[in-house]
Amino acid sequence: MGNSSVSGTWARRIAVTVAATILAGAGLASSAQASVAQGGVYGTGVVTDDWGDEGPLSMSSNSHNSVVGLWQAILAADLYLPPEDIDCYFGEQTAAATRLWQKNHGLGDDGIVGPLTFGKADDSLYWVGSEIRYRGSHLTLYSMHRTSSGRWYANGGGSTVYFSYTNADFCG
Protein backbone atom coordinates (compact mmCIF):
# COMPACT_ATOMS: atom_id res chain seq x y z
CA MET A 1 0.00 0.00 0.00
CA GLY A 2 1.14 3.53 -0.67
CA ASN A 3 2.25 5.91 2.02
CA SER A 4 0.27 9.15 2.04
CA SER A 5 -0.04 12.11 4.37
CA VAL A 6 -3.13 12.63 6.46
CA SER A 7 -4.89 16.00 6.36
CA GLY A 8 -7.97 17.77 7.71
CA THR A 9 -9.89 16.85 10.84
CA TRP A 10 -8.59 13.29 10.79
CA ALA A 11 -5.02 14.59 10.63
CA ARG A 12 -5.64 16.75 13.69
CA ARG A 13 -6.99 13.77 15.59
CA ILE A 14 -4.03 11.63 14.58
CA ALA A 15 -1.53 14.42 15.15
CA VAL A 16 -2.85 14.97 18.65
CA THR A 17 -3.44 11.32 19.48
CA VAL A 18 -0.63 9.40 17.84
CA ALA A 19 2.20 11.65 16.97
CA ALA A 20 3.74 14.33 19.09
CA THR A 21 7.02 16.02 19.82
CA ILE A 22 9.15 18.92 18.89
CA LEU A 23 12.68 17.88 19.52
CA ALA A 24 14.90 20.65 20.70
CA GLY A 25 18.48 19.60 20.92
CA ALA A 26 18.27 17.07 18.10
CA GLY A 27 22.02 16.62 18.08
CA LEU A 28 22.14 15.25 21.64
CA ALA A 29 22.98 11.57 22.03
CA SER A 30 21.21 10.91 25.31
CA SER A 31 18.64 8.15 25.62
CA ALA A 32 14.89 8.27 26.17
CA GLN A 33 13.64 9.37 29.57
CA ALA A 34 9.90 8.79 29.47
CA SER A 35 7.66 6.96 31.89
CA VAL A 36 4.12 6.86 33.20
CA ALA A 37 5.44 8.39 36.45
CA GLN A 38 6.37 11.55 34.54
CA GLY A 39 2.76 11.89 33.43
CA GLY A 40 3.46 12.05 29.72
CA VAL A 41 5.64 11.00 26.82
CA TYR A 42 9.18 12.39 27.02
CA GLY A 43 12.38 11.82 25.11
CA THR A 44 15.78 13.24 24.26
CA GLY A 45 18.36 12.73 21.55
CA VAL A 46 17.36 10.64 18.57
CA VAL A 47 13.62 10.07 18.21
CA THR A 48 13.94 6.39 17.37
CA ASP A 49 14.55 5.60 21.04
CA ASP A 50 12.01 7.94 22.64
CA TRP A 51 9.18 5.48 23.20
CA GLY A 52 11.13 2.44 24.42
CA ASP A 53 10.27 3.15 28.06
CA GLU A 54 6.59 4.05 27.57
CA GLY A 55 3.54 2.24 28.79
CA PRO A 56 2.03 0.03 29.80
CA LEU A 57 -1.26 0.63 28.05
CA SER A 58 -3.91 -2.05 28.26
CA MET A 59 -7.57 -2.60 29.07
CA SER A 60 -6.66 -2.61 32.77
CA SER A 61 -3.71 -0.20 32.99
CA ASN A 62 -3.62 3.41 31.73
CA SER A 63 -6.66 2.65 29.60
CA HIS A 64 -8.02 6.17 28.96
CA ASN A 65 -5.63 8.98 28.05
CA SER A 66 -3.91 10.82 25.22
CA VAL A 67 -1.09 8.26 25.02
CA VAL A 68 -3.74 5.65 24.18
CA GLY A 69 -4.90 8.05 21.45
CA LEU A 70 -1.33 8.23 20.15
CA TRP A 71 -1.12 4.44 20.07
CA GLN A 72 -4.48 4.23 18.30
CA ALA A 73 -3.21 6.71 15.70
CA ILE A 74 -0.23 4.43 15.09
CA LEU A 75 -2.60 1.50 14.66
CA ALA A 76 -4.65 3.58 12.20
CA ALA A 77 -1.56 4.65 10.24
CA ASP A 78 -0.66 0.96 9.90
CA LEU A 79 -4.28 -0.02 8.99
CA TYR A 80 -4.96 -2.06 12.13
CA LEU A 81 -7.67 0.29 13.45
CA PRO A 82 -10.15 2.51 11.58
CA PRO A 83 -9.33 6.22 12.12
CA GLU A 84 -12.85 6.91 13.35
CA ASP A 85 -12.15 4.55 16.28
CA ILE A 86 -9.43 6.78 17.75
CA ASP A 87 -11.15 7.63 21.02
CA CYS A 88 -8.38 7.47 23.70
CA TYR A 89 -10.01 4.38 25.27
CA PHE A 90 -8.06 1.12 25.28
CA GLY A 91 -10.91 -1.31 24.75
CA GLU A 92 -11.21 -4.76 23.21
CA GLN A 93 -10.94 -3.45 19.62
CA THR A 94 -7.68 -1.64 20.44
CA ALA A 95 -6.39 -4.72 22.29
CA ALA A 96 -7.19 -6.97 19.31
CA ALA A 97 -5.55 -4.54 16.87
CA THR A 98 -2.53 -4.34 19.18
CA ARG A 99 -2.17 -8.12 19.30
CA LEU A 100 -2.21 -8.32 15.50
CA TRP A 101 0.26 -5.39 15.20
CA GLN A 102 2.58 -7.10 17.72
CA LYS A 103 2.35 -10.46 15.93
CA ASN A 104 3.08 -8.87 12.54
CA HIS A 105 6.10 -7.03 14.02
CA GLY A 106 7.66 -10.13 15.56
CA LEU A 107 6.69 -9.38 19.16
CA GLY A 108 4.81 -11.34 21.78
CA ASP A 109 1.13 -10.71 21.06
CA ASP A 110 -0.22 -10.02 24.56
CA GLY A 111 -2.23 -6.91 23.57
CA ILE A 112 -0.36 -4.77 26.11
CA VAL A 113 1.55 -1.77 24.80
CA GLY A 114 4.74 -1.59 26.82
CA PRO A 115 8.39 -0.74 26.16
CA LEU A 116 8.95 -3.46 23.54
CA THR A 117 5.87 -2.54 21.52
CA PHE A 118 6.41 1.21 21.80
CA GLY A 119 10.12 0.64 21.11
CA LYS A 120 9.31 -1.19 17.88
CA ALA A 121 6.92 1.59 16.83
CA ASP A 122 9.46 4.35 17.44
CA ASP A 123 11.72 2.75 14.83
CA SER A 124 9.38 4.41 12.29
CA LEU A 125 9.83 7.95 13.66
CA TYR A 126 11.83 10.49 11.69
CA TRP A 127 12.50 14.23 11.53
CA VAL A 128 11.32 16.69 8.88
CA GLY A 129 12.72 20.01 10.03
CA SER A 130 11.48 20.54 13.58
CA GLU A 131 8.55 18.15 13.08
CA ILE A 132 8.51 14.46 14.03
CA ARG A 133 6.64 12.03 11.83
CA TYR A 134 5.62 8.40 12.06
CA ARG A 135 5.92 6.45 8.82
CA GLY A 136 3.07 3.97 8.94
CA SER A 137 2.55 1.19 6.43
CA HIS A 138 -0.32 3.18 4.88
CA LEU A 139 -0.35 6.71 6.32
CA THR A 140 2.19 9.16 7.68
CA LEU A 141 1.44 10.79 11.02
CA TYR A 142 2.77 14.30 11.30
CA SER A 143 2.62 17.48 13.41
CA MET A 144 4.37 15.82 16.34
CA HIS A 145 6.99 17.71 18.29
CA ARG A 146 9.13 17.69 21.41
CA THR A 147 9.65 20.64 23.75
CA SER A 148 13.11 21.70 24.92
CA SER A 149 12.48 19.63 28.07
CA GLY A 150 11.62 16.59 25.92
CA ARG A 151 7.83 16.50 26.34
CA TRP A 152 5.97 15.21 23.28
CA TYR A 153 3.01 17.11 21.84
CA ALA A 154 1.03 17.46 18.64
CA ASN A 155 -0.20 20.53 16.80
CA GLY A 156 -3.38 20.50 14.80
CA GLY A 157 -6.29 22.77 14.09
CA GLY A 158 -4.60 25.66 15.88
CA SER A 159 -4.17 23.84 19.19
CA THR A 160 -1.38 22.05 21.03
CA VAL A 161 -2.07 18.76 22.78
CA TYR A 162 0.45 16.95 24.98
CA PHE A 163 0.63 13.17 25.02
CA SER A 164 -0.38 12.62 28.60
CA TYR A 165 -1.17 9.64 30.81
CA THR A 166 -3.45 11.84 32.96
CA ASN A 167 -5.92 13.25 30.41
CA ALA A 168 -7.46 12.46 27.04
CA ASP A 169 -7.23 15.91 25.44
CA PHE A 170 -6.02 14.36 22.21
CA CYS A 171 -9.47 12.91 21.62
CA GLY A 172 -11.08 16.08 22.95
Side-chain angles (χ1 to χ4, degrees):
M1 293 182 196
N3 192 348
S4 60
S5 292
V6 181
S7 62
T9 303
W10 193 65
R12 180 185 183 281
R13 179 178 285 207
I14 287 185
V16 174
T17 302
V18 175
T21 286
I22 200 166
L23 179 63
L28 301 175
S30 53
S31 62
Q33 300 176 3
S35 73
V36 174
Q38 288 179 292
V41 176
Y42 283 80
T44 60
V46 297
V47 294
T48 53
D49 73 354
D50 271 12
W51 294 349
D53 56 353
E54 292 300 332
L57 305 175
S58 70
M59 290 180 20
S60 62
S61 181
N62 302 304
S63 62
H64 180 225
N65 58 57
S66 293
V67 181
V68 171
L70 172 62
W71 177 248
Q72 289 174 323
I74 291 166
L75 292 173
D78 287 336
L79 294 182
Y80 291 89
L81 190 71
E84 59 271 14
D85 289 344
I86 298 171
D87 60 4
C88 293
Y89 285 95
F90 200 107
E92 184 51 49
Q93 186 174 7
T94 300
T98 298
R99 285 189 293 272
L100 186 57
W101 190 97
Q102 290 170 322
K103 180 179 179 182
N104 291 341
H105 286 84
L107 301 170
D109 57 344
D110 61 4
I112 298 170
V113 184
L116 292 177
T117 301
F118 264 126
K120 188 70 164 180
D122 76 9
D123 292 347
S124 295
L125 295 173
Y126 64 99
W127 287 100
V128 174
S130 66
E131 180 180 87
I132 301 169
R133 295 183 181 181
Y134 174 84
R135 180 174 293 129
S137 62
H138 183 69
L139 300 169
T140 296
L141 303 177
Y142 58 94
S143 296
M144 294 184 284
H145 304 274
R146 208 167 53 187
T147 67
S148 60
S149 65
R151 187 169 185 193
W152 278 71
Y153 67 94
N155 285 331
S159 64
T160 298
V161 177
Y162 292 94
F163 293 108
S164 171
Y165 289 96
T166 60
N167 69 57
D169 292 348
F170 181 80
C171 298

